[in-house]
């Protein structure tokens, strides 16, 4: 049973370009979460999705950021017109649809904006 | 909202014990989690407490007091590989997402 798969592991973008980060949850998991981690800081919640639905996007900037989790395929975090401040590690986690279980994290995508 | 505090750094000697404290102030509570994160890697799950008391798992134990809004992670017989960041996270009631503290970086010295 493969774990949470994220790709790419490292992504370099120039200012103004778009970044697309992908996350495939663990098999049997229907809940996906995206977190951002800046150097020397903790994980900050961005968005929580279930298949075809955004449940909670309270941590995601209103502009330039969007997320989806289609019926088929991975969850995508999309950042348009990237700026240097978007440079961070972006982690995806997944969990089954029960409350008393932990979330499993992927290896993260390290985005560098140059 | 969630307000989660833990020390920034701790240093200990190989073979010793270290206790990492976490205090939280939340509008509700549905479980407290501890994760370990090595530099440049994914956080990995260590423990989950939803009721008061101590949960022991090998060299790692976690304690929770809901009335005090307090938890600790106890690492015994420290090994060099335990050098990592330890993240305390709280789950609000009826919610699935986790709110994380800033993490405690533990350095184990020989």
């Amino acid at each position: 049973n493969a774990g949470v798969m994220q790709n790419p592991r490292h992504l370099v973008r120039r200012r103004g370009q778009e970044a697309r980060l992908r996350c495939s949850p663990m098999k049997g998991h229907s809940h996906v979460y995206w977190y951002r981690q800046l150097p020397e800081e903790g994980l900050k919640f961005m968005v929580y999705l279930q298949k075809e639905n955004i449940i909670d996007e309270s941590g995601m900037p209103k502009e330039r950021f969007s997320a989806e989790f289609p019926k088929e395929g991975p969850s995508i975090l999309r950042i348009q017109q990237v700026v240097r401040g978007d440079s961070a590690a972006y982690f995806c986690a997944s969990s089954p649809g029960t409350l008393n279980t932990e979330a499993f994290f992927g290896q993260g995508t390290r985005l560098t904006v140059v | 909202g969630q307000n989660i505090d833990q020390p920034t750094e701790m240093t200990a000697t190989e073979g010793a014990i270290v206790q990492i404290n976490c205090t939280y102030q939340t509008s509700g509570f549905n479980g407290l989690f501890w994760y370990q994160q090595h530099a440049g890697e994914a956080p990995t799950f260590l423990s989950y407490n939803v009721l008061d008391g101590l949960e022991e798992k090998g060299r790692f134990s976690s304690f929770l007091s809901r009335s005090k809004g307090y938890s600790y992670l106890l690492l015994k017989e420290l090994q060099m590989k335990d050098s990592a960041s330890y993240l305390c996270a709280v789950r609000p009631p009826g919610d699935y997402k986790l709110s994380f503290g800033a993490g405690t970086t533990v350095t184990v010295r020989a």
Side-chain angles (χ1 to χ4, degrees):
Chain A
N1 185 12
V4 179
M5 305 299 292
Q6 288 188 249
N7 68 83
R9 291 290 307 276
H10 299 274
L11 182 62
V12 179
R13 284 287 177 266
R14 295 184 188 279
R15 280 179 296 172
Q17 290 185 319
E18 178 180 286
R20 279 184 180 240
L21 288 62
R22 294 174 184 77
C23 169
S24 296
M26 283 182 73
K27 187 177 180 181
H29 285 190
S30 56
H31 296 213
V32 166
Y33 317 82
W34 286 93
Y35 290 83
R36 177 164 62 179
Q37 187 173 40
L38 294 169
E40 310 301 326
E41 293 189 15
L43 292 157
K44 301 295 184 189
F45 167 78
M46 297 182 74
V47 61
Y48 158 40
L49 310 102
Q50 295 179 23
K51 281 287 186 182
E52 299 185 276
N53 285 303
I54 296 175
I55 307 301
D56 182 346
E57 55 183 350
S58 59
M60 197 159 66
K62 295 286 186 288
E63 296 181 357
R64 303 189 298 108
F65 285 73
S66 62
E68 62 177 15
F69 189 16
K71 187 176 180 182
E72 302 290 339
S75 174
I76 307 284
L77 179 67
R78 183 181 176 206
I79 312 172
Q80 295 178 289
Q81 299 171 347
V82 295
V83 301
R84 289 233 169 95
D86 297 332
S87 295
Y90 291 84
F91 287 95
C92 170
S94 73
S95 70
T98 52
L99 278 172
N100 294 337
T101 54
E102 68 271 25
F104 293 84
F105 282 82
Q107 293 290 316
T109 294
R110 276 142 191 88
L111 172 66
T112 303
V113 180
V114 297
Chain B
Q2 319 290 335
N3 187 13
I4 303 166
D5 290 313
Q6 49 182 131
T8 305
E9 294 180 331
M10 300 183 76
T11 302
T13 307
E14 197 173 13
I17 298 173
V18 71
Q19 177 175 314
I20 307 169
N21 296 324
C22 172
T23 57
Y24 61 91
Q25 295 171 335
T26 66
S27 53
F29 178 82
N30 189 31
L32 188 140
F33 296 76
W34 284 97
Y35 281 80
Q36 179 191 60
Q37 186 179 24
H38 285 98
E41 296 185 11
T44 54
F45 169 76
L46 289 178
S47 69
Y48 168 61
N49 295 70
V50 67
L51 299 176
D52 290 352
L54 188 68
E55 295 278 342
E56 295 189 79
K57 231 188 227 185
R59 293 189 301 114
F60 293 0
S61 303
S62 58
F63 171 83
L64 175 66
S65 169
R66 288 172 296 172
S67 62
K68 295 181 179 177
Y70 168 70
S71 172
Y72 68 73
L73 180 69
L74 196 69
L75 286 62
K76 293 179 270 190
E77 300 169 18
L78 279 172
Q79 302 175 9
M80 300 299 285
K81 67 178 181 179
D82 297 329
S83 292
S85 181
Y86 291 85
L87 311 175
C88 173
V90 171
R91 174 174 280 164
D95 202 345
Y96 290 88
K97 68 178 186 282
L98 297 176
S99 294
F100 284 85
T104 299
T105 301
V106 172
T107 302
V108 181
R109 300 194 188 282

